[in-house]
């Protein structure tokens, strides 16, 4: 079934008169057209019994017409009220409206409700997420290209590491290499952390300099053909302490155990538990403060969230990260993150960057 047809099936299943797809990445998923409209209104609109409408800012109109097979492309100018333009193209009364609640802000939600006259509103986030969770062959191939790009960029950047170089300098080098290798851009804010800051799961790169005897953590990804990659590796800068090595080995074993647990029919919670039990058994359980992974694809964070309470089942074609970690205040931390695909019989690890503790910068 074509993707757009799934939306019309959703209209029928939920007894909707109209539904709006407003997240730009999802507009791309269903139409082939991508743009970041910033504050301007953009939506794919499916109306019961009618052809779909793609509504875009006028500055994107020509690009939209060339990029999509949607025949009804309409636009609005900056001086126009887009909701008044929308009203002119709605020919039927609306009772039930479907929306992406996670994307719409309150003001836009209220304005859409007023513009359509909808009496009831249905949140479609979970149903639409289920459409996207099984990746097609073409999607997997795009993800493979994105993974290859970031792995090459990291491999080249690591050669530049030496005591004294700063985190932000390495971020700049890494993002330069991403673009040279064909990336559309980073899939999230590139993270390069050194020393104690590696103990911050979401640390902010700054002017801290790389020092010998500490960890260096690189967490980075790219978009290729609209699809993301997400890779983390932790390196030793010169010789590190025995405790550093023990922490690293513990996280590596947790990463491997989690990946071994991946198979169709297993629960996502069991993956988190597999990784967490390794870390807890080594006495570091209190320092594993994050979930064990997350889905990704057109967005860097998609369904599922891999934590111990998630009892949803793995299915063939799902793609997600395996990223257990230990984060110790005052010392530092380790995260080892792979990208994996659920296969018919088990798992394929899509990332190939080496995972053994690698000494760099000397």
């Amino acid at each position: 079934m074509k993707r757009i047809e799934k939306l019309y099936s959703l209209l029928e299943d939920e007894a909707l008169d109209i539904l709006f797809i407003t997240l730009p990445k999802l507009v791309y998923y269903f139409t082939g057209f991508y743009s970041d409209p910033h504050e301007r209104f953009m939506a794919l609109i499916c109306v019961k019994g009618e052809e779909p409408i793609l509504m875009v800012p006028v500055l994107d109109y020509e690009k939209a017409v060339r990029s999509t097979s949607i025949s009804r492309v309409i636009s609005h100018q900056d001086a126009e009220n887009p909701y008044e333009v929308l009203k002119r193209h709605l020919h039927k009364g609306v009772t039930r409206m479907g929306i992406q609640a996670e994307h719409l802000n309150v003001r836009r939600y209220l304005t859409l409700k007023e513009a359509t006259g909808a009496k009831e509103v249905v949140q479609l986030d979970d149903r639409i997420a289920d459409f996207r969770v099984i990746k097609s062959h073409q999607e997997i191939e795009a993800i493979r290209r994105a993974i290859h790009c970031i792995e090459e960029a990291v491999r080249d950047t690591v050669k530049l590491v030496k005591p004294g170089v700063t985190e932000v300098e390495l971020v700049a080098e890494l993002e330069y290499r991403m673009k040279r290798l064909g990336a559309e851009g980073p899939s999230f804010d590139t993270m390069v952390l050194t020393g104690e800051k590696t103990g911050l799961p979401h640390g902010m790169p700054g002017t801290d300099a790389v020092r010998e005897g500490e960890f260096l953590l690189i967490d980075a990804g790219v978009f290729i053909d609209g699809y993301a990659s997400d890779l983390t590796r932790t390196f030793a800068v010169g010789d590190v302490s025995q405790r550093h090595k023990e922490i690293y080995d513990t996280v590596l074993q947790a990463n491997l155990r989690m990946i071994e647990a991946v198979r169709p029919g297993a629960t996502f919670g069991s993956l988190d538990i597999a990784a967490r039990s390794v870390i807890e058994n080594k006495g570091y359980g209190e320092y594993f403060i994050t979930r064990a992974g997350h889905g990704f694809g057109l967005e860097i964070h998609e369904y599922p969230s891999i934590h111990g309470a998630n009892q949803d089942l793995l299915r063939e074609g799902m793609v997600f990260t395996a990223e257990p970690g230990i984060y110790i205040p005052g010392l530092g931390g380790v995260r080892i993150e792979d990208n994996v695909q659920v296969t018919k019989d088990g798992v394929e690890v899509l990332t190939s960057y080496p995972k053994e503790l690698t000494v760099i910068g000397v």
Side-chain angles (χ1 to χ4, degrees):
M1 182 184 292
K2 292 181 180 179
R3 290 173 178 175
I4 201 78
E5 292 173 358
K6 292 182 179 180
L7 291 179
Y8 277 89
S9 294
L10 189 54
L11 275 174
E12 294 296 326
D13 292 346
E14 299 289 342
L16 301 173
D17 300 303
I18 193 169
L19 68 79
F20 290 87
I21 301 297
T22 49
L23 181 69
K25 280 283 188 175
L26 275 187
V27 172
Y28 170 73
Y29 180 80
F30 287 108
T31 71
F33 165 72
Y34 178 75
S35 176
D36 182 352
H38 302 291
E39 76 283 2
R40 299 176 178 92
F41 182 73
M42 180 177 77
L44 169 64
I45 307 157
C46 295
V47 182
K48 185 176 180 179
E50 298 184 14
E51 290 293 312
I53 301 170
L54 178 58
M55 184 172 182
V56 300
V58 69
L59 55 89
D60 285 323
Y61 178 79
E62 291 299 328
K63 178 183 175 184
V65 169
R66 291 196 302 268
S67 301
T68 182
S69 59
I70 301 291
S71 59
R72 295 177 69 189
V73 181
I74 64 175
S75 65
H76 60 89
Q77 299 186 26
D78 285 349
E80 291 182 293
N81 181 329
Y83 306 99
E84 291 298 325
V85 175
L86 174 63
K87 282 183 183 180
R88 294 200 293 269
H89 289 84
L90 297 181
H91 308 303
K92 298 179 179 179
V94 170
T95 299
R96 284 172 60 86
M97 175 177 72
I99 61 167
Q100 290 180 263
E102 290 183 358
H103 179 246
L104 286 182
N105 58 36
V106 174
R107 181 177 181 179
R108 184 160 284 181
Y109 159 75
L110 293 173
T111 308
L112 271 181
K113 194 168 184 289
E114 181 182 1
T116 60
K119 304 297 187 295
E120 301 175 56
V121 179
V122 180
Q123 300 180 28
L124 302 176
D125 303 85
D126 290 345
R127 294 290 304 274
I128 293 172
D130 196 57
F131 291 162
R132 303 166 60 199
V133 70
I134 305 301
K135 302 299 191 282
S136 68
H137 173 74
Q138 291 77 15
E139 289 177 296
I140 296 293
E141 289 307 305
I143 290 169
R144 289 185 195 276
R145 291 192 291 274
I147 290 170
H148 177 74
C149 179
I150 192 55
E151 290 186 329
E152 288 301 303
V154 170
R155 190 172 286 112
D156 289 346
T157 302
V158 163
K159 298 173 184 177
L160 305 175
V161 174
K162 60 183 178 181
V165 67
T166 68
E167 295 166 340
V168 291
E169 288 172 336
L170 291 172
V171 168
E173 294 286 353
L174 185 52
E175 294 189 350
Y176 167 72
R177 281 159 176 76
M178 293 176 190
K179 290 293 188 77
R180 287 291 301 267
L181 289 164
E184 294 152 13
S187 52
F188 55 94
D189 290 341
T190 303
M191 189 184 305
V192 178
L193 304 173
T194 188
E196 293 183 14
K197 288 175 68 177
T198 58
L200 302 173
H202 282 174
M204 181 71 68
T207 56
D208 299 79
V210 171
R211 293 183 295 186
E212 195 167 345
E214 296 182 335
F215 279 141
L216 178 73
L217 184 148
I218 298 177
D219 185 355
V222 301
F223 282 120
I224 294 280
D225 298 329
Y227 284 82
S229 56
D230 190 358
L231 175 76
T232 307
R233 290 294 185 266
T234 307
F235 303 91
V237 181
D239 190 30
V240 294
S241 72
Q242 190 58 41
R243 192 178 189 205
H244 282 84
K245 293 175 183 177
E246 179 183 80
I247 293 166
Y248 190 93
D249 184 65
T250 300
V251 174
L252 177 57
Q253 295 310 311
N255 169 277
L256 295 172
R257 185 74 60 81
M258 178 178 173
I259 291 171
E260 288 172 359
V262 175
R263 65 185 185 279
T267 66
F268 287 109
S270 71
L271 305 187
D272 185 281
I273 292 167
R276 201 168 298 275
S277 62
V278 173
I279 293 173
E280 288 175 344
N281 289 340
K282 288 290 187 176
Y284 292 104
E286 65 181 295
Y287 302 113
F288 185 4
I289 58 176
T290 64
R291 60 187 174 181
H294 59 85
F296 69 97
L298 283 171
E299 299 176 271
I300 193 57
H301 284 172
E302 297 183 356
Y303 171 86
S305 178
I306 303 176
H307 54 75
N310 188 344
Q311 295 303 300
D312 292 347
L313 302 181
L314 279 70
R315 290 178 277 163
E316 181 183 356
M318 289 179 167
V319 176
F320 50 85
T321 68
E323 51 176 307
I326 293 174
Y327 309 95
I328 303 179
L331 176 71
V334 173
R335 180 165 62 255
I336 301 172
E337 178 181 25
D338 284 310
N339 302 163
V340 303
Q341 173 192 3
V342 183
T343 64
K344 180 180 179 181
D345 301 315
V347 62
E348 179 185 1
V349 182
L350 301 174
T351 37
S352 61
Y353 200 99
K355 291 192 280 191
E356 67 273 9
L357 182 57
T358 303
V359 177
I360 59 174
V362 295

